[in-house]
């Protein structure tokens, strides 16, 4: 089932606050002077879906919580009967998406915290689609481009890195942060060593587009080096030494 049930707008109008039932769909709450559901209320559908929150002119509008019969829960903003705006979306297994929805689907920057311990932070366009950082439950971290993965498939992946989710160039860090590898389509191409860095370093800070840069940072006193990844629109910034390495986004 989906969150934008048209049944909400098809319920008969009433001029008083109360409860109505039609074909096992039940609304309890407030109405406006025109007899439309408006204000605070709850609605339960025959299939078990349940919504509690704000209505306007017979549609879900404002803040609310939608509980799906399958156990999924959306808590956040609604617009014109659609899940739209800032929200939290939870699966029964404990995996949580935090970010924004547009027209009943994830859209824009979001974070997924997997029940098993992994964390993904990146872009969504209805699906997981675009640059992102994935720290797996075992501590291994990948920075790269994730391509058109259905949100349900991604959230049910268990917090482990699936190479089939990646496209193009990327970087992988070991769990202890002491080693890094270049990736191409999810496969390791070569280890990033000090020699590799000396060969490829070429860009000073600020030369890359900072609004879209992904960075590999080291707390080493030797400083940060910027390495161009061929055919990758982002710039990976890699320290000359690998000590105390961590991953972050810029």
């Amino acid at each position: 089932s989906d969150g934008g049930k048209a049944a909400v707008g098809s319920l008969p109008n009433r001029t008083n606050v109360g409860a109505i039932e039609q074909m096992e769909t039940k609304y309890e709450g407030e109405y406006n002077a025109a007899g439309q559901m408006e204000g605070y209320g709850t609605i339960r559908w025959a299939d078990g879906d349940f919504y509690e929150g704000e209505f306007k002119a017979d549609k879900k509008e404002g803040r609310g919580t939608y509980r799906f019969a399958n156990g999924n829960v959306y808590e956040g903003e609604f617009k014109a009967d659609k899940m739209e705006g800032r929200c939290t979306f939870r699966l029964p297994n404990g995996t949580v998406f935090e970010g924004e929805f547009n027209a009943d689907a994830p859209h824009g920057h979001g974070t997924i915290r997997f029940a098993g311990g992994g964390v993904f932070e990146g872009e969504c366009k209805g699906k997981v689609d675009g640059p992102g950082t994935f720290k797996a439950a075992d501590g291994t971290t990948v920075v790269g481009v994730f391509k058109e993965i259905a949100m349900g498939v991604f959230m049910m992946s268990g917090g482990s890195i699936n190479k089939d989710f990646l496209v193009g160039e990327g970087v992988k860090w070991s769990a202890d942060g002491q080693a890094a590898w270049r990736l191409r389509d999810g496969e390791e191409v070569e280890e990033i060593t000090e020699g590799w860095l000396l060969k490829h370093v070429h860009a000073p800070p600020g030369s890359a587009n900072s609004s879209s840069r992904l960075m590999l940072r080291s707390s080493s006193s030797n400083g940060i080096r910027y390495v161009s990844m061929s055919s990758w629109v982002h710039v990976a910034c890699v320290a000359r030494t690998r000590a105390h390495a961590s991953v972050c986004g810029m």
Side-chain angles (χ1 to χ4, degrees):
S1 58
D2 64 65
K5 279 193 167 58
V8 171
S10 67
L11 292 171
N13 293 334
R14 293 292 187 273
T15 57
N16 63 306
V17 176
I20 57 177
E21 295 186 40
Q22 178 177 314
M23 296 183 295
E24 298 184 81
T25 297
K26 182 178 181 180
Y27 171 79
E28 295 181 341
E30 301 172 308
Y31 296 87
N32 60 21
Q36 297 173 314
M37 295 180 292
E38 188 158 311
Y40 190 84
T42 65
I43 188 166
R44 187 184 302 277
W45 286 269
D47 63 5
D49 283 10
F50 177 81
Y51 170 78
E52 179 177 7
E54 298 174 306
F55 290 84
K56 184 176 181 180
D58 272 348
K59 297 183 184 294
K60 300 185 292 295
E61 182 89 21
R63 295 285 303 179
T65 300
Y66 197 108
R67 301 181 185 278
F68 295 81
N70 64 8
N72 295 342
V73 178
Y74 173 96
E75 184 175 359
E77 300 173 356
F78 291 80
K79 185 175 181 180
D81 242 6
K82 300 291 186 181
M83 296 180 287
E84 189 160 319
R86 295 293 303 175
C87 69
T88 300
F89 187 85
R90 303 176 186 275
L91 298 186
N93 68 0
T95 296
V96 178
F97 168 86
E98 297 173 334
E100 295 191 9
F101 266 47
N102 182 51
D104 285 345
H107 188 83
H109 192 80
T111 300
I112 298 174
R113 304 183 188 281
F114 294 88
V119 178
F120 168 83
E121 184 174 353
E123 297 300 313
C124 302
K125 303 169 187 175
K127 301 177 180 181
V128 175
D129 188 14
T133 300
F134 195 138
K135 185 174 183 179
D138 65 2
T140 303
T141 302
V142 164
V143 180
V145 179
F146 295 76
K147 190 64 174 177
E148 296 184 355
I149 311 154
M151 181 58 70
V153 171
F154 195 80
M155 291 185 72
M156 293 298 291
S157 64
S160 58
I161 297 171
N162 186 333
K163 64 182 180 64
D164 294 331
F165 290 169
L166 293 154
V167 63
E169 297 279 346
V171 178
K172 175 183 175 181
W173 280 106
S174 62
D176 62 8
Q178 299 301 301
W181 297 265
R182 284 184 61 211
L183 300 178
R184 183 177 296 118
D185 295 334
E187 299 283 358
E188 294 179 10
V189 176
E190 61 180 327
E191 185 176 3
I192 300 176
T193 62
E194 183 173 354
W196 188 92
L197 291 169
L198 290 172
K199 179 180 178 181
H200 291 84
V201 168
H202 76 287
S207 64
N209 181 353
S210 61
S211 66
S212 64
R213 189 164 64 216
L214 293 174
M215 184 169 76
L216 298 181
R217 173 185 290 166
S218 172
S219 61
S220 165
S221 61
N222 289 344
I224 296 174
R225 300 297 184 186
Y226 295 77
V227 182
S228 174
M229 300 305 234
S230 62
S231 75
W232 190 21
V233 297
H234 299 279
V235 174
C237 314
V238 185
R240 286 187 64 176
T241 63
R242 292 168 286 161
H244 310 297
S246 61
V247 178
C248 67
M250 289 184 66

mmCIF file of all heavy atoms in Angstrom, residues 203-241:
data_model
loop_
_atom_site.group_PDB
_atom_site.id
_atom_site.type_symbol
_atom_site.label_atom_id
_atom_site.label_comp_id
_atom_site.label_asym_id
_atom_site.label_seq_id
_atom_site.Cartn_x
_atom_site.Cartn_y
_atom_site.Cartn_z
ATOM 1 N N ALA A 203 46.300 19.069 -7.198
ATOM 2 C CA ALA A 203 45.380 20.197 -7.008
ATOM 3 C C ALA A 203 45.437 20.740 -5.593
ATOM 4 O O ALA A 203 45.333 19.992 -4.635
ATOM 5 C CB ALA A 203 43.955 19.751 -7.323
ATOM 6 N N PRO A 204 45.604 22.027 -5.429
ATOM 7 C CA PRO A 204 45.597 22.633 -4.099
ATOM 8 C C PRO A 204 44.192 22.770 -3.555
ATOM 9 O O PRO A 204 43.228 22.692 -4.311
ATOM 10 C CB PRO A 204 46.216 24.011 -4.352
ATOM 11 C CG PRO A 204 45.776 24.331 -5.750
ATOM 12 C CD PRO A 204 45.820 23.013 -6.486
ATOM 13 N N PRO A 205 44.053 22.995 -2.237
ATOM 14 C CA PRO A 205 42.721 23.222 -1.659
ATOM 15 C C PRO A 205 42.018 24.371 -2.359
ATOM 16 O O PRO A 205 42.629 25.375 -2.699
ATOM 17 C CB PRO A 205 43.036 23.556 -0.194
ATOM 18 C CG PRO A 205 44.362 22.926 0.060
ATOM 19 C CD PRO A 205 45.123 23.045 -1.234
ATOM 20 N N GLY A 206 40.730 24.208 -2.594
ATOM 21 C CA GLY A 206 39.937 25.268 -3.205
ATOM 22 C C GLY A 206 39.853 25.186 -4.709
ATOM 23 O O GLY A 206 39.065 25.880 -5.334
ATOM 24 N N SER A 207 40.689 24.338 -5.339
ATOM 25 C CA SER A 207 40.652 24.251 -6.793
ATOM 26 C C SER A 207 39.495 23.398 -7.274
ATOM 27 O O SER A 207 39.074 23.511 -8.417
ATOM 28 C CB SER A 207 41.956 23.650 -7.322
ATOM 29 O OG SER A 207 42.092 22.315 -6.863
ATOM 30 N N ALA A 208 38.986 22.547 -6.391
ATOM 31 C CA ALA A 208 37.836 21.713 -6.754
ATOM 32 C C ALA A 208 36.552 22.434 -6.374
ATOM 33 O O ALA A 208 36.562 23.406 -5.631
ATOM 34 C CB ALA A 208 37.913 20.377 -6.024
ATOM 35 N N ASN A 209 35.458 21.959 -6.903
ATOM 36 C CA ASN A 209 34.148 22.522 -6.569
ATOM 37 C C ASN A 209 33.765 22.053 -5.170
ATOM 38 O O ASN A 209 33.339 20.928 -4.979
ATOM 39 C CB ASN A 209 33.118 22.037 -7.595
ATOM 40 C CG ASN A 209 31.740 22.602 -7.313
ATOM 41 O OD1 ASN A 209 31.517 23.247 -6.290
ATOM 42 N ND2 ASN A 209 30.826 22.365 -8.226
ATOM 43 N N SER A 210 33.953 22.910 -4.191
ATOM 44 C CA SER A 210 33.774 22.496 -2.799
ATOM 45 C C SER A 210 32.349 22.087 -2.485
ATOM 46 O O SER A 210 32.103 21.352 -1.554
ATOM 47 C CB SER A 210 34.193 23.630 -1.857
ATOM 48 O OG SER A 210 33.400 24.775 -2.075
ATOM 49 N N SER A 211 31.372 22.541 -3.279
ATOM 50 C CA SER A 211 29.981 22.196 -2.993
ATOM 51 C C SER A 211 29.672 20.753 -3.314
ATOM 52 O O SER A 211 28.673 20.214 -2.860
ATOM 53 C CB SER A 211 29.040 23.113 -3.792
ATOM 54 O OG SER A 211 29.178 22.867 -5.184
ATOM 55 N N SER A 212 30.494 20.104 -4.123
ATOM 56 C CA SER A 212 30.215 18.712 -4.498
ATOM 57 C C SER A 212 31.397 17.794 -4.179
ATOM 58 O O SER A 212 31.448 16.678 -4.655
ATOM 59 C CB SER A 212 29.898 18.635 -5.999
ATOM 60 O OG SER A 212 31.030 19.018 -6.763
ATOM 61 N N ARG A 213 32.342 18.264 -3.351
ATOM 62 C CA ARG A 213 33.551 17.487 -3.101
ATOM 63 C C ARG A 213 33.309 16.426 -2.025
ATOM 64 O O ARG A 213 32.686 16.691 -1.020
ATOM 65 C CB ARG A 213 34.667 18.431 -2.667
ATOM 66 C CG ARG A 213 36.027 17.748 -2.593
ATOM 67 C CD ARG A 213 37.124 18.797 -2.554
ATOM 68 N NE ARG A 213 37.049 19.619 -1.358
ATOM 69 C CZ ARG A 213 37.339 20.918 -1.330
ATOM 70 N NH1 ARG A 213 37.671 21.538 -2.448
ATOM 71 N NH2 ARG A 213 37.270 21.599 -0.207
ATOM 72 N N LEU A 214 33.834 15.255 -2.237
ATOM 73 C CA LEU A 214 33.864 14.215 -1.222
ATOM 74 C C LEU A 214 35.306 14.075 -0.756
ATOM 75 O O LEU A 214 36.230 14.076 -1.575
ATOM 76 C CB LEU A 214 33.359 12.885 -1.777
ATOM 77 C CG LEU A 214 31.880 12.865 -2.147
ATOM 78 C CD1 LEU A 214 31.553 11.538 -2.820
ATOM 79 C CD2 LEU A 214 31.031 13.054 -0.916
ATOM 80 N N MET A 215 35.532 13.953 0.525
ATOM 81 C CA MET A 215 36.887 14.016 1.041
ATOM 82 C C MET A 215 37.254 12.801 1.873
ATOM 83 O O MET A 215 36.459 12.325 2.664
ATOM 84 C CB MET A 215 37.052 15.279 1.901
ATOM 85 C CG MET A 215 38.470 15.484 2.409
ATOM 86 S SD MET A 215 38.688 17.108 3.137
ATOM 87 C CE MET A 215 37.852 16.865 4.693
ATOM 88 N N LEU A 216 38.470 12.329 1.705
ATOM 89 C CA LEU A 216 39.076 11.353 2.586
ATOM 90 C C LEU A 216 40.094 12.128 3.408
ATOM 91 O O LEU A 216 41.052 12.668 2.868
ATOM 92 C CB LEU A 216 39.760 10.238 1.788
ATOM 93 C CG LEU A 216 38.841 9.410 0.889
ATOM 94 C CD1 LEU A 216 39.650 8.341 0.180
ATOM 95 C CD2 LEU A 216 37.731 8.785 1.690
ATOM 96 N N ARG A 217 39.907 12.210 4.695
ATOM 97 C CA ARG A 217 40.729 13.062 5.554
ATOM 98 C C ARG A 217 41.612 12.229 6.481
ATOM 99 O O ARG A 217 41.223 11.191 6.966
ATOM 100 C CB ARG A 217 39.827 13.972 6.384
ATOM 101 C CG ARG A 217 40.572 14.787 7.433
ATOM 102 C CD ARG A 217 39.604 15.572 8.289
ATOM 103 N NE ARG A 217 38.977 16.637 7.548
ATOM 104 C CZ ARG A 217 37.898 17.286 7.983
ATOM 105 N NH1 ARG A 217 37.331 16.938 9.118
ATOM 106 N NH2 ARG A 217 37.389 18.264 7.267
ATOM 107 N N SER A 218 42.792 12.711 6.761
ATOM 108 C CA SER A 218 43.681 12.090 7.741
ATOM 109 C C SER A 218 44.045 13.107 8.802
ATOM 110 O O SER A 218 44.210 14.284 8.519
ATOM 111 C CB SER A 218 44.954 11.572 7.069
ATOM 112 O OG SER A 218 45.878 11.148 8.055
ATOM 113 N N SER A 219 44.184 12.649 10.045
ATOM 114 C CA SER A 219 44.598 13.526 11.128
ATOM 115 C C SER A 219 46.116 13.603 11.212
ATOM 116 O O SER A 219 46.668 14.204 12.117
ATOM 117 C CB SER A 219 44.031 13.024 12.460
ATOM 118 O OG SER A 219 44.518 11.725 12.739
ATOM 119 N N SER A 220 46.800 12.986 10.265
ATOM 120 C CA SER A 220 48.254 13.021 10.234
ATOM 121 C C SER A 220 48.760 14.449 10.104
ATOM 122 O O SER A 220 48.156 15.284 9.429
ATOM 123 C CB SER A 220 48.763 12.195 9.047
ATOM 124 O OG SER A 220 50.119 12.475 8.790
ATOM 125 N N SER A 221 49.875 14.747 10.716
ATOM 126 C CA SER A 221 50.460 16.088 10.642
ATOM 127 C C SER A 221 51.026 16.406 9.268
ATOM 128 O O SER A 221 51.398 17.543 8.990
ATOM 129 C CB SER A 221 51.564 16.228 11.698
ATOM 130 O OG SER A 221 52.591 15.273 11.461
ATOM 131 N N ASN A 222 51.104 15.399 8.403
ATOM 132 C CA ASN A 222 51.657 15.626 7.063
ATOM 133 C C ASN A 222 50.690 16.361 6.142
ATOM 134 O O ASN A 222 51.041 16.698 5.020
ATOM 135 C CB ASN A 222 52.053 14.292 6.414
ATOM 136 C CG ASN A 222 53.278 13.699 7.083
ATOM 137 O OD1 ASN A 222 53.986 14.388 7.798
ATOM 138 N ND2 ASN A 222 53.499 12.417 6.865
ATOM 139 N N GLY A 223 49.470 16.562 6.582
ATOM 140 C CA GLY A 223 48.536 17.358 5.786
ATOM 141 C C GLY A 223 47.703 16.561 4.816
ATOM 142 O O GLY A 223 47.821 15.344 4.703
ATOM 143 N N ILE A 224 46.854 17.256 4.085
ATOM 144 C CA ILE A 224 45.894 16.630 3.170
ATOM 145 C C ILE A 224 46.316 16.902 1.730
ATOM 146 O O ILE A 224 46.728 18.000 1.382
ATOM 147 C CB ILE A 224 44.481 17.179 3.420
ATOM 148 C CG1 ILE A 224 44.030 16.796 4.833
ATOM 149 C CG2 ILE A 224 43.497 16.665 2.390
ATOM 150 C CD1 ILE A 224 42.706 17.407 5.229
ATOM 151 N N ARG A 225 46.234 15.887 0.909
ATOM 152 C CA ARG A 225 46.538 16.016 -0.514
ATOM 153 C C ARG A 225 45.263 15.780 -1.319
ATOM 154 O O ARG A 225 44.414 14.974 -0.930
ATOM 155 C CB ARG A 225 47.615 15.005 -0.939
ATOM 156 C CG ARG A 225 48.927 15.170 -0.194
ATOM 157 C CD ARG A 225 49.578 16.504 -0.471
ATOM 158 N NE ARG A 225 50.870 16.611 0.176
ATOM 159 C CZ ARG A 225 51.603 17.721 0.181
ATOM 160 N NH1 ARG A 225 51.158 18.803 -0.413
ATOM 161 N NH2 ARG A 225 52.771 17.728 0.787
ATOM 162 N N TYR A 226 45.154 16.443 -2.454
ATOM 163 C CA TYR A 226 43.952 16.354 -3.274
ATOM 164 C C TYR A 226 44.269 15.566 -4.543
ATOM 165 O O TYR A 226 45.172 15.919 -5.290
ATOM 166 C CB TYR A 226 43.466 17.757 -3.627
ATOM 167 C CG TYR A 226 43.031 18.517 -2.405
ATOM 168 C CD1 TYR A 226 43.960 19.065 -1.539
ATOM 169 C CD2 TYR A 226 41.683 18.636 -2.093
ATOM 170 C CE1 TYR A 226 43.571 19.723 -0.391
ATOM 171 C CE2 TYR A 226 41.281 19.295 -0.948
ATOM 172 C CZ TYR A 226 42.225 19.846 -0.100
ATOM 173 O OH TYR A 226 41.827 20.497 1.037
ATOM 174 N N VAL A 227 43.524 14.507 -4.754
ATOM 175 C CA VAL A 227 43.819 13.601 -5.854
ATOM 176 C C VAL A 227 42.643 13.536 -6.818
ATOM 177 O O VAL A 227 41.524 13.254 -6.421
ATOM 178 C CB VAL A 227 44.124 12.185 -5.323
ATOM 179 C CG1 VAL A 227 44.478 11.262 -6.476
ATOM 180 C CG2 VAL A 227 45.265 12.244 -4.324
ATOM 181 N N SER A 228 42.883 13.809 -8.064
ATOM 182 C CA SER A 228 41.827 13.740 -9.067
ATOM 183 C C SER A 228 41.563 12.287 -9.433
ATOM 184 O O SER A 228 42.477 11.542 -9.757
ATOM 185 C CB SER A 228 42.241 14.503 -10.325
ATOM 186 O OG SER A 228 41.290 14.318 -11.346
ATOM 187 N N MET A 229 40.283 11.885 -9.371
ATOM 188 C CA MET A 229 39.916 10.541 -9.780
ATOM 189 C C MET A 229 39.372 10.624 -11.207
ATOM 190 O O MET A 229 38.351 11.253 -11.455
ATOM 191 C CB MET A 229 38.830 9.972 -8.865
ATOM 192 C CG MET A 229 39.288 9.890 -7.404
ATOM 193 S SD MET A 229 40.804 8.973 -7.215
ATOM 194 C CE MET A 229 40.319 7.779 -6.017
ATOM 195 N N SER A 230 40.065 10.036 -12.164
ATOM 196 C CA SER A 230 39.675 10.138 -13.560
ATOM 197 C C SER A 230 38.235 9.678 -13.760
ATOM 198 O O SER A 230 37.787 8.706 -13.166
ATOM 199 C CB SER A 230 40.600 9.282 -14.422
ATOM 200 O OG SER A 230 40.504 7.929 -14.055
ATOM 201 N N SER A 231 37.505 10.414 -14.551
ATOM 202 C CA SER A 231 36.114 10.169 -14.932
ATOM 203 C C SER A 231 35.137 10.253 -13.770
ATOM 204 O O SER A 231 33.984 9.884 -13.887
ATOM 205 C CB SER A 231 35.950 8.803 -15.623
ATOM 206 O OG SER A 231 36.012 7.740 -14.689
ATOM 207 N N TRP A 232 35.595 10.734 -12.613
ATOM 208 C CA TRP A 232 34.715 10.914 -11.461
ATOM 209 C C TRP A 232 34.514 12.403 -11.263
ATOM 210 O O TRP A 232 35.472 13.160 -11.168
ATOM 211 C CB TRP A 232 35.336 10.282 -10.223
ATOM 212 C CG TRP A 232 34.418 10.201 -9.042
ATOM 213 C CD1 TRP A 232 33.053 10.246 -9.050
ATOM 214 C CD2 TRP A 232 34.793 10.047 -7.678
ATOM 215 N NE1 TRP A 232 32.560 10.125 -7.775
ATOM 216 C CE2 TRP A 232 33.609 10.007 -6.911
ATOM 217 C CE3 TRP A 232 36.016 9.946 -7.027
ATOM 218 C CZ2 TRP A 232 33.611 9.865 -5.534
ATOM 219 C CZ3 TRP A 232 36.019 9.801 -5.651
ATOM 220 C CH2 TRP A 232 34.828 9.753 -4.913
ATOM 221 N N VAL A 233 33.305 12.871 -11.189
ATOM 222 C CA VAL A 233 33.045 14.302 -11.119
ATOM 223 C C VAL A 233 33.439 14.895 -9.781
ATOM 224 O O VAL A 233 33.532 16.096 -9.628
ATOM 225 C CB VAL A 233 31.560 14.617 -11.381
ATOM 226 C CG1 VAL A 233 31.170 14.205 -12.777
ATOM 227 C CG2 VAL A 233 30.665 13.940 -10.353
ATOM 228 N N HIS A 234 33.669 14.040 -8.779
ATOM 229 C CA HIS A 234 34.080 14.515 -7.469
ATOM 230 C C HIS A 234 35.598 14.400 -7.327
ATOM 231 O O HIS A 234 36.253 13.700 -8.088
ATOM 232 C CB HIS A 234 33.384 13.732 -6.357
ATOM 233 C CG HIS A 234 31.911 13.880 -6.411
ATOM 234 N ND1 HIS A 234 31.237 14.966 -5.913
ATOM 235 C CD2 HIS A 234 30.965 13.094 -6.953
ATOM 236 C CE1 HIS A 234 29.958 14.839 -6.139
ATOM 237 N NE2 HIS A 234 29.767 13.714 -6.761
ATOM 238 N N VAL A 235 36.145 15.072 -6.363
ATOM 239 C CA VAL A 235 37.573 15.002 -6.091
ATOM 240 C C VAL A 235 37.783 14.308 -4.756
ATOM 241 O O VAL A 235 37.209 14.694 -3.745
ATOM 242 C CB VAL A 235 38.195 16.409 -6.045
ATOM 243 C CG1 VAL A 235 39.663 16.326 -5.621
ATOM 244 C CG2 VAL A 235 38.090 17.072 -7.412
ATOM 245 N N ALA A 236 38.570 13.254 -4.765
ATOM 246 C CA ALA A 236 38.914 12.571 -3.517
ATOM 247 C C ALA A 236 40.156 13.224 -2.945
ATOM 248 O O ALA A 236 41.146 13.390 -3.637
ATOM 249 C CB ALA A 236 39.168 11.094 -3.773
ATOM 250 N N CYS A 237 40.086 13.598 -1.691
ATOM 251 C CA CYS A 237 41.204 14.265 -1.026
ATOM 252 C C CYS A 237 41.854 13.258 -0.099
ATOM 253 O O CYS A 237 41.231 12.801 0.847
ATOM 254 C CB CYS A 237 40.703 15.468 -0.240
ATOM 255 S SG CYS A 237 39.548 16.479 -1.183
ATOM 256 N N VAL A 238 43.076 12.902 -0.369
ATOM 257 C CA VAL A 238 43.711 11.805 0.345
ATOM 258 C C VAL A 238 45.006 12.293 0.994
ATOM 259 O O VAL A 238 45.811 12.970 0.365
ATOM 260 C CB VAL A 238 44.035 10.638 -0.614
ATOM 261 C CG1 VAL A 238 44.589 9.444 0.155
ATOM 262 C CG2 VAL A 238 42.797 10.260 -1.396
ATOM 263 N N ALA A 239 45.193 11.957 2.265
ATOM 264 C CA ALA A 239 46.419 12.343 2.959
ATOM 265 C C ALA A 239 47.610 11.572 2.396
ATOM 266 O O ALA A 239 47.466 10.454 1.917
ATOM 267 C CB ALA A 239 46.289 12.066 4.447
ATOM 268 N N ARG A 240 48.781 12.168 2.466
ATOM 269 C CA ARG A 240 49.981 11.493 1.972
ATOM 270 C C ARG A 240 50.306 10.274 2.815
ATOM 271 O O ARG A 240 50.918 9.325 2.340
ATOM 272 C CB ARG A 240 51.177 12.448 1.967
ATOM 273 C CG ARG A 240 51.095 13.465 0.843
ATOM 274 C CD ARG A 240 52.362 14.273 0.754
ATOM 275 N NE ARG A 240 53.514 13.428 0.399
ATOM 276 C CZ ARG A 240 54.737 13.905 0.175
ATOM 277 N NH1 ARG A 240 54.950 15.196 0.290
ATOM 278 N NH2 ARG A 240 55.724 13.107 -0.140
ATOM 279 N N THR A 241 49.958 10.288 4.069
ATOM 280 C CA THR A 241 50.079 9.080 4.865
ATOM 281 C C THR A 241 48.682 8.612 5.225
ATOM 282 O O THR A 241 47.737 9.377 5.211
ATOM 283 C CB THR A 241 50.875 9.342 6.160
ATOM 284 O OG1 THR A 241 50.153 10.271 6.955
ATOM 285 C CG2 THR A 241 52.249 9.900 5.854
#
